[in-house]
Every structure is written in C-alpha cells, then in structure tokens.
Amino acid sequence: MRKWLLGGLILLLVLCAGGVAALVYFFVRPPLDVRADFTRPLRVPPLAASTVDAQGRRVFDLRAEPGDSDFGHGATRTWGYNGAYLGPTLRAKRGEPVVVNVRNALAEPTTVHWHGMHLPAAMDGGPHRPIPTGGEFQAAWTVDQPAATLWYHPHPSERTETQVYRGLAGLFLVDDDEPAQRALPHDYGVDDIPVLVQDKEFDGDQLSMGDRFGSDIGVLGDEILVNGTPGPYVDVHSGLVRLRLVNASTARIYDFTLADHRPFALVGTDGGLLERPAMTSHVRLSVGERAEIVVALQPGERLTLRSERPLGGSLDSRFNGGQDSFDILQLRAAATLTPATLPETLVSTPRLDPAQAAQTRNFEFQGREINGDGMDMGRVDAVVVKDTVEVWNVSNGHDTPHSFHIHDVQFQVLTVDGHAPPPELSGWKDTVFMAPHQHYSVIARFADYADPATAYMFHCHVLKHEDEGMMGQFVVVERGQQPRLHG
C-alpha cells in the first residue's frame, strides 16, 4: 500500500511539473551517464591549405559538400567542408588580409558565418546572402583582433540547425605576437589540441533529428563526437596540454570537468586569452561558446575529460539535457613527458567604461521572440553609430535556457543578475549561456565597419530557437546615416 501511495505521489508531482511529456521523460528516459571505450585516436582537423595572392592576401578555398562518414554505425550520410564531415582549420595572423572562396555543392542554399570574427557586415555570412546550389561567395577582410579560437558554420534562414547537425562546422584560429601565445602550449595537434564537441542521435546508420522526449531546445543526442571521432583518445607527450574546447552542438550544454575533478587552468574564452590563468575544476559552455584550458598530466596516466550535469538537478533541467553526463576525451600521457610551466600572466585586457556608452539597450528573450518580435530581415532592431560603445541588457524572460550571441563584436560582461561576473566571464566574449530568468549586462565597442544596407545579427544560439525566429538585427552606420535594408 505504501509503495502505491509513493508511486501515486511521484506521478502527481511529475504531471504537475509538465504534463504528459514530463511523465514520459521521467519514466522512460532517466538522465544519461554515457561512458566511452576510447578505442579511436582523436582526429585532428588538418590545417587548411592556403596561398598568398598578388595583393598579399592569404587565400583559402572551402567547398560545402555531402559525403559518407564512419561513426561506428556504418556509412552515415553527412556534410562537410572539403570532405565528408566538418572542415579544415583555417589559421591566420592578426593584421593579415584573408580571402575565403566558398563554393556550395549541396542540394540547398547555405552560407558560412565566421563566428566570433570582427569583419564587415557584407562578409559576415548571415542569412541575407545565401549561396545557391552550385554558387560561390568570396569573403575578404583583414583579421584585426587578438589571438583566439573562433569557428565557422552555416547561418542560412531557418536551416542552420539541420546544416550544422549534419556536419558543417570548422575552426578558425587567430594568432598574434603576444608573448603569452608562445608561453602556452602551441604546437597544433601535439600539445595544442582542438576539441570540437557535438552530440548525435542515430537511427540505424543515419543521423536522426527526431525529438522523442519533448525537449524545447532541439535534438539532444546520446552519443558524443569530438572532431567527428566517437570514443576518442589522444596521446600526450608534454606535462601541459592545451585543449581548445568548442561547443559545436546544436542544443546541448556541457559542463567540462576532469574525471578526478582535479583543477585545470582556464586561459582563454571566446575572444582570446584572459589576463591570467584562472584555476577551476569545471567550465560550462553553451552552444557556440569556446574555452581554452591547460591540463597538467603525470607520466603514464590516463585522464578523462567529461561533461557532468550542466544544469543541476531540477526536473525542468532534465528536459534540456541538464542532468546528462558524458565521457568526452581520454588523455594518454607518455611514460616520459617534456617539462612545461604555465605563465603567471597572459594578456592585458583594457576595460570598456559604461560611463562612455552612447546607448543602453534592453533585450528580453522569451518564447521564440526578442522584445516580442520574431525575426524579420526587413526590420532594423538597433541602429548603432560606428566607433561608439553601447551597453546591452539581455534577459531570459522564461523557463527555457538560451544562448545569447552577437555578430561582429566581442563584448565584456559587466554583471550577471546584478553581480560581478565570475572569472570565466572576465575576458572577451561573443556568446553567453542564459539560464532561465537570468539577466546579463554587457558592453561592446562597434568599431571600424559601417554599412547602412547590411545588417549584423544577434540571436539565441540554440539553433532550433534561431531557426524558429529568435533573432534580431542591427546596422552600424556613420554618424548621421540612416539604415536602408531591403529585406
């Protein structure tokens, strides 16, 4: 009798918390705790080939194309750049002019957005300039920002989630002459390892985008790929290894930690290095966020990078993968390791002054709207004067997690729910996780580029939300200009 009463109480609580979908999720799919066998060496994306043209510009070529990939399920149909899945790592130095020629060999339009890059609006790769099937687009700009781990991915209207999920993504690494870059592990693929993390759901041998359990944020897969590798390990020969973590999933949030919960050094975020290493035992990344960490290893040990319960233990968080845990990557230290030390300081970060802000704007994310409006490519949501500083107050107005991303600029976080930001939000950012009912105040300088006819985007980087209209746009103009979008 007591067991039936307890069961009835649980059933009532679950139904009150979210109805039939909550009941299904509670009983059918408990939180995941996925362990990996670590049987495959980690694939490191190759550095993209490039040439230098007569104008001194570094030229890259990308081709978006279909292919087949082996994720342990047979021949899985995927999309990639210059290959079947993902793309090569583009690398350029601050001050270097670059050209990227993009060709679309897919059966539908696409774009390529340079996530985190400061560049002219016409080069940004948003939904305004789709590349048709068989078409080409040339993006050209001069790299002018600190060294950072950036990435590129599609940004077409209403198809971003599908195209990224099928495999269209890659890294863009920016280098500079700061001494800290040489003081940190910096041998790409050896002690400086890209870790591009995605979750996948399979239906037989093919990727599935089915939403079986009522998640409001999109597909939540039960398998992890790192650089397109399931169950990966990487051999390490140095006492310190730098991991460039990229959340390239479409919906899932990760909270990266080491299996024994030892501390590691957080040295960089979206827009570059911090002023000094911050010791921590975990770092949470929402969709689109990046972090650079340095892990210390002992000779001969095997250490697992994991993601553990990123949203805590509430019932609501279970619907959004918040209680799921995964093995991500195994680090295999050699019997003898090259000694390495971590610098005490990294780079200077000039702080932007809110007292100098020309505008303060408020944006509330709720449902699939921002300030009550869905996406409209003919509407300008903010007109920003070039070379001015603005403060944006960004709020999550309901119970679903969001991820705020703004194009073109890197911003600094002033406050989180009225409090000073933690160390992981102290550097340059272009994307931040917004928990339900959370409020951020951020500050940015909109420098260098004005174009009254072409907009930049700001949006939720949960790609299902983006595709369903949770996106706005701003235009940067010279003083006295008016925007003139054509929709």
Side-chain angles (χ1 to χ4, degrees), residues 128 375-380 473 485-487:
H128 309 86
M375 175 58 185
D376 180 349
M377 283 198 283
R379 185 189 68 241
V380 177
Q473 51 187 17
L485 296 188
H486 303 294

Side-chain angles (χ1 to χ4, degrees), residues 45 81 86-90 150-153 167-172 196 246 248:
Y81 297 105
L86 299 180
T89 296
L90 279 62
L150 312 182
W151 67 304
Y152 60 94
H153 61 78
L168 291 179
L171 295 175
F172 198 129
L196 194 149
V246 182

